[in-house]
mmCIF file with all atom_site columns, all heavy atoms in Angstrom:
data_model
loop_
_atom_site.group_PDB
_atom_site.id
_atom_site.type_symbol
_atom_site.label_atom_id
_atom_site.label_alt_id
_atom_site.label_comp_id
_atom_site.label_asym_id
_atom_site.label_entity_id
_atom_site.label_seq_id
_atom_site.pdbx_PDB_ins_code
_atom_site.Cartn_x
_atom_site.Cartn_y
_atom_site.Cartn_z
_atom_site.occupancy
_atom_site.B_iso_or_equiv
_atom_site.pdbx_formal_charge
_atom_site.auth_seq_id
_atom_site.auth_comp_id
_atom_site.auth_asym_id
_atom_site.auth_atom_id
_atom_site.pdbx_PDB_model_num
ATOM 1   N N   . LEU U 1 1  ? 132.636 47.116 121.970 1.00 96.00 ? 1  LEU U N   1
ATOM 2   C CA  . LEU U 1 1  ? 132.097 48.436 122.209 1.00 96.00 ? 1  LEU U CA  1
ATOM 3   C C   . LEU U 1 1  ? 133.318 49.382 122.208 1.00 96.00 ? 1  LEU U C   1
ATOM 4   O O   . LEU U 1 1  ? 134.289 49.179 122.939 1.00 96.00 ? 1  LEU U O   1
ATOM 5   C CB  . LEU U 1 1  ? 131.333 48.487 123.507 1.00 96.00 ? 1  LEU U CB  1
ATOM 6   C CG  . LEU U 1 1  ? 130.477 49.720 123.752 1.00 96.00 ? 1  LEU U CG  1
ATOM 7   C CD1 . LEU U 1 1  ? 129.256 49.661 122.873 1.00 96.00 ? 1  LEU U CD1 1
ATOM 8   C CD2 . LEU U 1 1  ? 129.975 49.879 125.210 1.00 96.00 ? 1  LEU U CD2 1
ATOM 9   N N   . VAL U 1 2  ? 133.229 50.485 121.425 1.00 94.00 ? 2  VAL U N   1
ATOM 10  C CA  . VAL U 1 2  ? 134.266 51.447 121.304 1.00 94.00 ? 2  VAL U CA  1
ATOM 11  C C   . VAL U 1 2  ? 133.731 52.845 121.581 1.00 94.00 ? 2  VAL U C   1
ATOM 12  O O   . VAL U 1 2  ? 133.157 53.474 120.700 1.00 94.00 ? 2  VAL U O   1
ATOM 13  C CB  . VAL U 1 2  ? 134.988 51.428 119.869 1.00 94.00 ? 2  VAL U CB  1
ATOM 14  C CG1 . VAL U 1 2  ? 136.104 52.428 119.863 1.00 94.00 ? 2  VAL U CG1 1
ATOM 15  C CG2 . VAL U 1 2  ? 135.408 50.021 119.562 1.00 94.00 ? 2  VAL U CG2 1
ATOM 16  N N   . PRO U 1 3  ? 133.827 53.335 122.846 1.00 93.00 ? 3  PRO U N   1
ATOM 17  C CA  . PRO U 1 3  ? 133.408 54.746 123.097 1.00 93.00 ? 3  PRO U CA  1
ATOM 18  C C   . PRO U 1 3  ? 134.264 55.723 122.385 1.00 93.00 ? 3  PRO U C   1
ATOM 19  O O   . PRO U 1 3  ? 135.511 55.666 122.436 1.00 93.00 ? 3  PRO U O   1
ATOM 20  C CB  . PRO U 1 3  ? 133.545 54.797 124.602 1.00 93.00 ? 3  PRO U CB  1
ATOM 21  C CG  . PRO U 1 3  ? 133.566 53.413 125.163 1.00 93.00 ? 3  PRO U CG  1
ATOM 22  C CD  . PRO U 1 3  ? 134.275 52.648 124.007 1.00 93.00 ? 3  PRO U CD  1
ATOM 23  N N   . GLY U 1 4  ? 133.623 56.708 121.798 1.00 92.00 ? 4  GLY U N   1
ATOM 24  C CA  . GLY U 1 4  ? 134.330 57.691 121.011 1.00 92.00 ? 4  GLY U CA  1
ATOM 25  C C   . GLY U 1 4  ? 134.574 59.002 121.814 1.00 92.00 ? 4  GLY U C   1
ATOM 26  O O   . GLY U 1 4  ? 135.124 59.952 121.238 1.00 92.00 ? 4  GLY U O   1
ATOM 27  N N   . GLU U 1 5  ? 134.163 59.087 123.022 1.00 87.00 ? 5  GLU U N   1
ATOM 28  C CA  . GLU U 1 5  ? 134.278 60.296 123.772 1.00 87.00 ? 5  GLU U CA  1
ATOM 29  C C   . GLU U 1 5  ? 134.510 59.960 125.250 1.00 87.00 ? 5  GLU U C   1
ATOM 30  O O   . GLU U 1 5  ? 134.149 58.838 125.695 1.00 87.00 ? 5  GLU U O   1
ATOM 31  C CB  . GLU U 1 5  ? 132.947 61.127 123.653 1.00 87.00 ? 5  GLU U CB  1
ATOM 32  C CG  . GLU U 1 5  ? 132.833 62.336 124.614 1.00 87.00 ? 5  GLU U CG  1
ATOM 33  C CD  . GLU U 1 5  ? 133.936 63.425 124.423 1.00 87.00 ? 5  GLU U CD  1
ATOM 34  O OE1 . GLU U 1 5  ? 135.144 63.098 124.642 1.00 87.00 ? 5  GLU U OE1 1
ATOM 35  O OE2 . GLU U 1 5  ? 133.634 64.579 124.019 1.00 87.00 ? 5  GLU U OE2 1
ATOM 36  N N   . ASN U 1 6  ? 135.138 60.799 126.011 1.00 83.00 ? 6  ASN U N   1
ATOM 37  C CA  . ASN U 1 6  ? 135.370 60.603 127.401 1.00 83.00 ? 6  ASN U CA  1
ATOM 38  C C   . ASN U 1 6  ? 134.048 60.627 128.138 1.00 83.00 ? 6  ASN U C   1
ATOM 39  O O   . ASN U 1 6  ? 133.221 61.528 127.874 1.00 83.00 ? 6  ASN U O   1
ATOM 40  C CB  . ASN U 1 6  ? 136.297 61.666 128.003 1.00 83.00 ? 6  ASN U CB  1
ATOM 41  C CG  . ASN U 1 6  ? 137.624 61.672 127.325 1.00 83.00 ? 6  ASN U CG  1
ATOM 42  O OD1 . ASN U 1 6  ? 138.168 60.617 126.992 1.00 83.00 ? 6  ASN U OD1 1
ATOM 43  N ND2 . ASN U 1 6  ? 138.150 62.899 127.160 1.00 83.00 ? 6  ASN U ND2 1
ATOM 44  N N   . PRO U 1 7  ? 133.731 59.716 129.082 1.00 77.00 ? 7  PRO U N   1
ATOM 45  C CA  . PRO U 1 7  ? 132.450 59.670 129.779 1.00 77.00 ? 7  PRO U CA  1
ATOM 46  C C   . PRO U 1 7  ? 132.252 60.863 130.672 1.00 77.00 ? 7  PRO U C   1
ATOM 47  O O   . PRO U 1 7  ? 131.156 61.332 130.835 1.00 77.00 ? 7  PRO U O   1
ATOM 48  C CB  . PRO U 1 7  ? 132.525 58.375 130.547 1.00 77.00 ? 7  PRO U CB  1
ATOM 49  C CG  . PRO U 1 7  ? 134.026 58.072 130.738 1.00 77.00 ? 7  PRO U CG  1
ATOM 50  C CD  . PRO U 1 7  ? 134.640 58.634 129.509 1.00 77.00 ? 7  PRO U CD  1
ATOM 51  N N   . THR U 1 8  ? 133.328 61.449 131.180 1.00 77.00 ? 8  THR U N   1
ATOM 52  C CA  . THR U 1 8  ? 133.239 62.598 132.129 1.00 77.00 ? 8  THR U CA  1
ATOM 53  C C   . THR U 1 8  ? 134.473 63.471 131.895 1.00 77.00 ? 8  THR U C   1
ATOM 54  O O   . THR U 1 8  ? 135.322 63.089 131.192 1.00 77.00 ? 8  THR U O   1
ATOM 55  C CB  . THR U 1 8  ? 133.174 62.187 133.615 1.00 77.00 ? 8  THR U CB  1
ATOM 56  O OG1 . THR U 1 8  ? 134.331 61.485 133.964 1.00 77.00 ? 8  THR U OG1 1
ATOM 57  C CG2 . THR U 1 8  ? 131.918 61.371 133.959 1.00 77.00 ? 8  THR U CG2 1
ATOM 58  N N   . GLY U 1 9  ? 134.405 64.647 132.535 1.00 78.00 ? 9  GLY U N   1
ATOM 59  C CA  . GLY U 1 9  ? 135.631 65.543 132.467 1.00 78.00 ? 9  GLY U CA  1
ATOM 60  C C   . GLY U 1 9  ? 135.680 66.242 131.133 1.00 78.00 ? 9  GLY U C   1
ATOM 61  O O   . GLY U 1 9  ? 134.689 66.434 130.418 1.00 78.00 ? 9  GLY U O   1
ATOM 62  N N   . ALA U 1 10 ? 136.924 66.663 130.796 1.00 82.00 ? 10 ALA U N   1
ATOM 63  C CA  . ALA U 1 10 ? 137.141 67.334 129.581 1.00 82.00 ? 10 ALA U CA  1
ATOM 64  C C   . ALA U 1 10 ? 136.863 66.548 128.375 1.00 82.00 ? 10 ALA U C   1
ATOM 65  O O   . ALA U 1 10 ? 137.099 65.336 128.312 1.00 82.00 ? 10 ALA U O   1
ATOM 66  C CB  . ALA U 1 10 ? 138.668 67.883 129.545 1.00 82.00 ? 10 ALA U CB  1
ATOM 67  N N   . THR U 1 11 ? 136.221 67.188 127.326 1.00 85.00 ? 11 THR U N   1
ATOM 68  C CA  . THR U 1 11 ? 135.881 66.403 126.089 1.00 85.00 ? 11 THR U CA  1
ATOM 69  C C   . THR U 1 11 ? 137.128 66.151 125.327 1.00 85.00 ? 11 THR U C   1
ATOM 70  O O   . THR U 1 11 ? 138.124 66.847 125.381 1.00 85.00 ? 11 THR U O   1
ATOM 71  C CB  . THR U 1 11 ? 134.912 67.320 125.323 1.00 85.00 ? 11 THR U CB  1
ATOM 72  O OG1 . THR U 1 11 ? 134.778 66.618 124.033 1.00 85.00 ? 11 THR U OG1 1
ATOM 73  C CG2 . THR U 1 11 ? 135.406 68.705 125.109 1.00 85.00 ? 11 THR U CG2 1
ATOM 74  N N   . ALA U 1 12 ? 137.047 65.036 124.606 1.00 85.00 ? 12 ALA U N   1
ATOM 75  C CA  . ALA U 1 12 ? 138.233 64.617 123.769 1.00 85.00 ? 12 ALA U CA  1
ATOM 76  C C   . ALA U 1 12 ? 138.491 65.651 122.633 1.00 85.00 ? 12 ALA U C   1
ATOM 77  O O   . ALA U 1 12 ? 139.590 65.688 122.123 1.00 85.00 ? 12 ALA U O   1
ATOM 78  C CB  . ALA U 1 12 ? 137.989 63.232 123.165 1.00 85.00 ? 12 ALA U CB  1
ATOM 79  N N   . PHE U 1 13 ? 137.479 66.419 122.366 1.00 87.00 ? 13 PHE U N   1
ATOM 80  C CA  . PHE U 1 13 ? 137.512 67.311 121.186 1.00 87.00 ? 13 PHE U CA  1
ATOM 81  C C   . PHE U 1 13 ? 137.963 68.725 121.593 1.00 87.00 ? 13 PHE U C   1
ATOM 82  O O   . PHE U 1 13 ? 137.798 69.734 120.841 1.00 87.00 ? 13 PHE U O   1
ATOM 83  C CB  . PHE U 1 13 ? 136.177 67.366 120.469 1.00 87.00 ? 13 PHE U CB  1
ATOM 84  C CG  . PHE U 1 13 ? 135.744 66.021 120.056 1.00 87.00 ? 13 PHE U CG  1
ATOM 85  C CD1 . PHE U 1 13 ? 134.864 65.247 120.828 1.00 87.00 ? 13 PHE U CD1 1
ATOM 86  C CD2 . PHE U 1 13 ? 136.245 65.429 118.927 1.00 87.00 ? 13 PHE U CD2 1
ATOM 87  C CE1 . PHE U 1 13 ? 134.457 63.984 120.423 1.00 87.00 ? 13 PHE U CE1 1
ATOM 88  C CE2 . PHE U 1 13 ? 135.855 64.194 118.486 1.00 87.00 ? 13 PHE U CE2 1
ATOM 89  C CZ  . PHE U 1 13 ? 135.005 63.414 119.225 1.00 87.00 ? 13 PHE U CZ  1
ATOM 90  N N   . GLU U 1 14 ? 138.491 68.886 122.810 1.00 84.00 ? 14 GLU U N   1
ATOM 91  C CA  . GLU U 1 14 ? 138.931 70.167 123.230 1.00 84.00 ? 14 GLU U CA  1
ATOM 92  C C   . GLU U 1 14 ? 139.989 70.819 122.373 1.00 84.00 ? 14 GLU U C   1
ATOM 93  O O   . GLU U 1 14 ? 139.891 72.045 122.143 1.00 84.00 ? 14 GLU U O   1
ATOM 94  C CB  . GLU U 1 14 ? 139.459 69.981 124.768 1.00 84.00 ? 14 GLU U CB  1
ATOM 95  C CG  . GLU U 1 14 ? 139.734 71.403 125.427 1.00 84.00 ? 14 GLU U CG  1
ATOM 96  C CD  . GLU U 1 14 ? 140.183 71.197 126.837 1.00 84.00 ? 14 GLU U CD  1
ATOM 97  O OE1 . GLU U 1 14 ? 140.362 70.036 127.269 1.00 84.00 ? 14 GLU U OE1 1
ATOM 98  O OE2 . GLU U 1 14 ? 140.349 72.177 127.544 1.00 84.00 ? 14 GLU U OE2 1
ATOM 99  N N   . PRO U 1 15 ? 140.910 70.032 121.824 1.00 81.00 ? 15 PRO U N   1
ATOM 100 C CA  . PRO U 1 15 ? 141.889 70.716 120.931 1.00 81.00 ? 15 PRO U CA  1
ATOM 101 C C   . PRO U 1 15 ? 141.264 71.417 119.717 1.00 81.00 ? 15 PRO U C   1
ATOM 102 O O   . PRO U 1 15 ? 141.757 72.399 119.235 1.00 81.00 ? 15 PRO U O   1
ATOM 103 C CB  . PRO U 1 15 ? 142.795 69.596 120.494 1.00 81.00 ? 15 PRO U CB  1
ATOM 104 C CG  . PRO U 1 15 ? 142.658 68.565 121.579 1.00 81.00 ? 15 PRO U CG  1
ATOM 105 C CD  . PRO U 1 15 ? 141.271 68.684 122.041 1.00 81.00 ? 15 PRO U CD  1
ATOM 106 N N   . ILE U 1 16 ? 140.099 70.829 119.306 1.00 82.00 ? 16 ILE U N   1
ATOM 107 C CA  . ILE U 1 16 ? 139.373 71.402 118.123 1.00 82.00 ? 16 ILE U CA  1
ATOM 108 C C   . ILE U 1 16 ? 138.777 72.784 118.451 1.00 82.00 ? 16 ILE U C   1
ATOM 109 O O   . ILE U 1 16 ? 138.702 73.679 117.621 1.00 82.00 ? 16 ILE U O   1
ATOM 110 C CB  . ILE U 1 16 ? 138.348 70.452 117.618 1.00 82.00 ? 16 ILE U CB  1
ATOM 111 C CG1 . ILE U 1 16 ? 139.028 69.273 116.926 1.00 82.00 ? 16 ILE U CG1 1
ATOM 112 C CG2 . ILE U 1 16 ? 137.296 71.139 116.741 1.00 82.00 ? 16 ILE U CG2 1
ATOM 113 C CD1 . ILE U 1 16 ? 138.085 68.217 116.421 1.00 82.00 ? 16 ILE U CD1 1
ATOM 114 N N   . GLN U 1 17 ? 138.385 72.937 119.783 1.00 78.00 ? 17 GLN U N   1
ATOM 115 C CA  . GLN U 1 17 ? 137.757 74.183 120.169 1.00 78.00 ? 17 GLN U CA  1
ATOM 116 C C   . GLN U 1 17 ? 138.820 75.350 120.127 1.00 78.00 ? 17 GLN U C   1
ATOM 117 O O   . GLN U 1 17 ? 138.523 76.440 119.834 1.00 78.00 ? 17 GLN U O   1
ATOM 118 C CB  . GLN U 1 17 ? 137.221 74.055 121.608 1.00 78.00 ? 17 GLN U CB  1
ATOM 119 C CG  . GLN U 1 17 ? 136.308 72.877 121.839 1.00 78.00 ? 17 GLN U CG  1
ATOM 120 C CD  . GLN U 1 17 ? 134.889 73.390 122.010 1.00 78.00 ? 17 GLN U CD  1
ATOM 121 O OE1 . GLN U 1 17 ? 134.388 74.365 121.508 1.00 78.00 ? 17 GLN U OE1 1
ATOM 122 N NE2 . GLN U 1 17 ? 134.139 72.701 122.863 1.00 78.00 ? 17 GLN U NE2 1
ATOM 123 N N   . ILE U 1 18 ? 140.069 74.967 120.415 1.00 77.00 ? 18 ILE U N   1
ATOM 124 C CA  . ILE U 1 18 ? 141.112 75.943 120.491 1.00 77.00 ? 18 ILE U CA  1
ATOM 125 C C   . ILE U 1 18 ? 141.436 76.486 119.081 1.00 77.00 ? 18 ILE U C   1
ATOM 126 O O   . ILE U 1 18 ? 141.666 77.684 118.893 1.00 77.00 ? 18 ILE U O   1
ATOM 127 C CB  . ILE U 1 18 ? 142.361 75.358 121.215 1.00 77.00 ? 18 ILE U CB  1
ATOM 128 C CG1 . ILE U 1 18 ? 141.987 74.935 122.627 1.00 77.00 ? 18 ILE U CG1 1
ATOM 129 C CG2 . ILE U 1 18 ? 143.546 76.389 121.166 1.00 77.00 ? 18 ILE U CG2 1
ATOM 130 C CD1 . ILE U 1 18 ? 143.081 74.041 123.296 1.00 77.00 ? 18 ILE U CD1 1
ATOM 131 N N   . ALA U 1 19 ? 141.644 75.547 118.152 1.00 79.00 ? 19 ALA U N   1
ATOM 132 C CA  . ALA U 1 19 ? 141.963 75.898 116.784 1.00 79.00 ? 19 ALA U CA  1
ATOM 133 C C   . ALA U 1 19 ? 141.014 75.135 115.814 1.00 79.00 ? 19 ALA U C   1
ATOM 134 O O   . ALA U 1 19 ? 141.350 74.155 115.303 1.00 79.00 ? 19 ALA U O   1
ATOM 135 C CB  . ALA U 1 19 ? 143.415 75.616 116.496 1.00 79.00 ? 19 ALA U CB  1
ATOM 136 N N   . PRO U 1 20 ? 139.795 75.626 115.695 1.00 83.00 ? 20 PRO U N   1
ATOM 137 C CA  . PRO U 1 20 ? 138.748 74.864 114.976 1.00 83.00 ? 20 PRO U CA  1
ATOM 138 C C   . PRO U 1 20 ? 139.069 74.739 113.454 1.00 83.00 ? 20 PRO U C   1
ATOM 139 O O   . PRO U 1 20 ? 139.642 75.651 112.842 1.00 83.00 ? 20 PRO U O   1
ATOM 140 C CB  . PRO U 1 20 ? 137.540 75.672 115.213 1.00 83.00 ? 20 PRO U CB  1
ATOM 141 C CG  . PRO U 1 20 ? 137.941 77.049 115.481 1.00 83.00 ? 20 PRO U CG  1
ATOM 142 C CD  . PRO U 1 20 ? 139.244 76.905 116.208 1.00 83.00 ? 20 PRO U CD  1
ATOM 143 N N   . PRO U 1 21 ? 138.650 73.631 112.899 1.00 83.00 ? 21 PRO U N   1
ATOM 144 C CA  . PRO U 1 21 ? 138.792 73.432 111.453 1.00 83.00 ? 21 PRO U CA  1
ATOM 145 C C   . PRO U 1 21 ? 137.917 74.516 110.751 1.00 83.00 ? 21 PRO U C   1
ATOM 146 O O   . PRO U 1 21 ? 136.905 75.028 111.297 1.00 83.00 ? 21 PRO U O   1
ATOM 147 C CB  . PRO U 1 21 ? 138.196 72.029 111.234 1.00 83.00 ? 21 PRO U CB  1
ATOM 148 C CG  . PRO U 1 21 ? 138.284 71.314 112.469 1.00 83.00 ? 21 PRO U CG  1
ATOM 149 C CD  . PRO U 1 21 ? 138.187 72.432 113.518 1.00 83.00 ? 21 PRO U CD  1
ATOM 150 N N   . THR U 1 22 ? 138.225 74.769 109.499 1.00 76.00 ? 22 THR U N   1
ATOM 151 C CA  . THR U 1 22 ? 137.576 75.831 108.817 1.00 76.00 ? 22 THR U CA  1
ATOM 152 C C   . THR U 1 22 ? 136.490 75.345 107.904 1.00 76.00 ? 22 THR U C   1
ATOM 153 O O   . THR U 1 22 ? 135.799 76.213 107.326 1.00 76.00 ? 22 THR U O   1
ATOM 154 C CB  . THR U 1 22 ? 138.599 76.665 107.990 1.00 76.00 ? 22 THR U CB  1
ATOM 155 O OG1 . THR U 1 22 ? 139.276 75.785 107.083 1.00 76.00 ? 22 THR U OG1 1
ATOM 156 C CG2 . THR U 1 22 ? 139.623 77.303 108.915 1.00 76.00 ? 22 THR U CG2 1
ATOM 157 N N   . SER U 1 23 ? 136.324 74.059 107.720 1.00 83.00 ? 23 SER U N   1
ATOM 158 C CA  . SER U 1 23 ? 135.332 73.536 106.775 1.00 83.00 ? 23 SER U CA  1
ATOM 159 C C   . SER U 1 23 ? 134.773 72.272 107.269 1.00 83.00 ? 23 SER U C   1
ATOM 160 O O   . SER U 1 23 ? 135.318 71.519 108.094 1.00 83.00 ? 23 SER U O   1
ATOM 161 C CB  . SER U 1 23 ? 135.926 73.382 105.408 1.00 83.00 ? 23 SER U CB  1
ATOM 162 O OG  . SER U 1 23 ? 136.883 72.315 105.420 1.00 83.00 ? 23 SER U OG  1
ATOM 163 N N   . GLU U 1 24 ? 133.533 71.918 106.735 1.00 88.00 ? 24 GLU U N   1
ATOM 164 C CA  . GLU U 1 24 ? 132.993 70.637 106.979 1.00 88.00 ? 24 GLU U CA  1
ATOM 165 C C   . GLU U 1 24 ? 133.758 69.517 106.452 1.00 88.00 ? 24 GLU U C   1
ATOM 166 O O   . GLU U 1 24 ? 133.873 68.392 106.991 1.00 88.00 ? 24 GLU U O   1
ATOM 167 C CB  . GLU U 1 24 ? 131.546 70.638 106.372 1.00 88.00 ? 24 GLU U CB  1
ATOM 168 C CG  . GLU U 1 24 ? 130.684 69.494 106.786 1.00 88.00 ? 24 GLU U CG  1
ATOM 169 C CD  . GLU U 1 24 ? 129.310 69.617 106.190 1.00 88.00 ? 24 GLU U CD  1
ATOM 170 O OE1 . GLU U 1 24 ? 128.676 70.727 106.340 1.00 88.00 ? 24 GLU U OE1 1
ATOM 171 O OE2 . GLU U 1 24 ? 128.785 68.638 105.619 1.00 88.00 ? 24 GLU U OE2 1
ATOM 172 N N   . THR U 1 25 ? 134.501 69.728 105.259 1.00 90.00 ? 25 THR U N   1
ATOM 173 C CA  . THR U 1 25 ? 135.302 68.767 104.651 1.00 90.00 ? 25 THR U CA  1
ATOM 174 C C   . THR U 1 25 ? 136.432 68.294 105.575 1.00 90.00 ? 25 THR U C   1
ATOM 175 O O   . THR U 1 25 ? 136.719 67.103 105.692 1.00 90.00 ? 25 THR U O   1
ATOM 176 C CB  . THR U 1 25 ? 135.889 69.266 103.337 1.00 90.00 ? 25 THR U CB  1
ATOM 177 O OG1 . THR U 1 25 ? 134.774 69.589 102.432 1.00 90.00 ? 25 THR U OG1 1
ATOM 178 C CG2 . THR U 1 25 ? 136.826 68.225 102.685 1.00 90.00 ? 25 THR U CG2 1
ATOM 179 N N   . GLU U 1 26 ? 137.076 69.263 106.165 1.00 91.00 ? 26 GLU U N   1
ATOM 180 C CA  . GLU U 1 26 ? 138.180 68.900 107.179 1.00 91.00 ? 26 GLU U CA  1
ATOM 181 C C   . GLU U 1 26 ? 137.629 68.125 108.351 1.00 91.00 ? 26 GLU U C   1
ATOM 182 O O   . GLU U 1 26 ? 138.303 67.207 108.775 1.00 91.00 ? 26 GLU U O   1
ATOM 183 C CB  . GLU U 1 26 ? 138.873 70.159 107.634 1.00 91.00 ? 26 GLU U CB  1
ATOM 184 C CG  . GLU U 1 26 ? 140.097 69.914 108.512 1.00 91.00 ? 26 GLU U CG  1
ATOM 185 C CD  . GLU U 1 26 ? 140.829 71.068 108.999 1.00 91.00 ? 26 GLU U CD  1
ATOM 186 O OE1 . GLU U 1 26 ? 140.475 72.243 108.550 1.00 91.00 ? 26 GLU U OE1 1
ATOM 187 O OE2 . GLU U 1 26 ? 141.744 70.947 109.865 1.00 91.00 ? 26 GLU U OE2 1
ATOM 188 N N   . PHE U 1 27 ? 136.479 68.460 108.770 1.00 92.00 ? 27 PHE U N   1
ATOM 189 C CA  . PHE U 1 27 ? 135.814 67.669 109.896 1.00 92.00 ? 27 PHE U CA  1
ATOM 190 C C   . PHE U 1 27 ? 135.558 66.241 109.447 1.00 92.00 ? 27 PHE U C   1
ATOM 191 O O   . PHE U 1 27 ? 135.701 65.340 110.265 1.00 92.00 ? 27 PHE U O   1
ATOM 192 C CB  . PHE U 1 27 ? 134.524 68.304 110.351 1.00 92.00 ? 27 PHE U CB  1
ATOM 193 C CG  . PHE U 1 27 ? 134.696 69.155 111.596 1.00 92.00 ? 27 PHE U CG  1
ATOM 194 C CD1 . PHE U 1 27 ? 134.338 70.489 111.627 1.00 92.00 ? 27 PHE U CD1 1
ATOM 195 C CD2 . PHE U 1 27 ? 135.086 68.563 112.745 1.00 92.00 ? 27 PHE U CD2 1
ATOM 196 C CE1 . PHE U 1 27 ? 134.527 71.242 112.780 1.00 92.00 ? 27 PHE U CE1 1
ATOM 197 C CE2 . PHE U 1 27 ? 135.252 69.294 113.873 1.00 92.00 ? 27 PHE U CE2 1
ATOM 198 C CZ  . PHE U 1 27 ? 134.982 70.673 113.925 1.00 92.00 ? 27 PHE U CZ  1
ATOM 199 N N   . ILE U 1 28 ? 135.110 66.049 108.251 1.00 94.00 ? 28 ILE U N   1
ATOM 200 C CA  . ILE U 1 28 ? 134.874 64.671 107.731 1.00 94.00 ? 28 ILE U CA  1
ATOM 201 C C   . ILE U 1 28 ? 136.199 63.887 107.767 1.00 94.00 ? 28 ILE U C   1
ATOM 202 O O   . ILE U 1 28 ? 136.262 62.732 108.168 1.00 94.00 ? 28 ILE U O   1
ATOM 203 C CB  . ILE U 1 28 ? 134.390 64.765 106.230 1.00 94.00 ? 28 ILE U CB  1
ATOM 204 C CG1 . ILE U 1 28 ? 132.938 65.250 106.286 1.00 94.00 ? 28 ILE U CG1 1
ATOM 205 C CG2 . ILE U 1 28 ? 134.391 63.325 105.682 1.00 94.00 ? 28 ILE U CG2 1
ATOM 206 C CD1 . ILE U 1 28 ? 132.329 65.498 104.863 1.00 94.00 ? 28 ILE U CD1 1
#
């Protein structure tokens, strides 16, 4: 089992919120 996100607290994707990718391709 490999969890891809923190179970509680700050989300692992917080850095993305600060400077978000500009396209769906970059997210892929």
Side-chain angles (χ1 to χ4, degrees):
L1 197 70
V2 183
E5 172 60 298
N6 300 323
T8 58
T11 172
F13 304 98
E14 188 176 6
I16 286 177
Q17 307 249 36
I18 299 169
T22 56
S23 69
E24 191 175 310
T25 299
E26 186 178 351
F27 260 121
I28 290 173

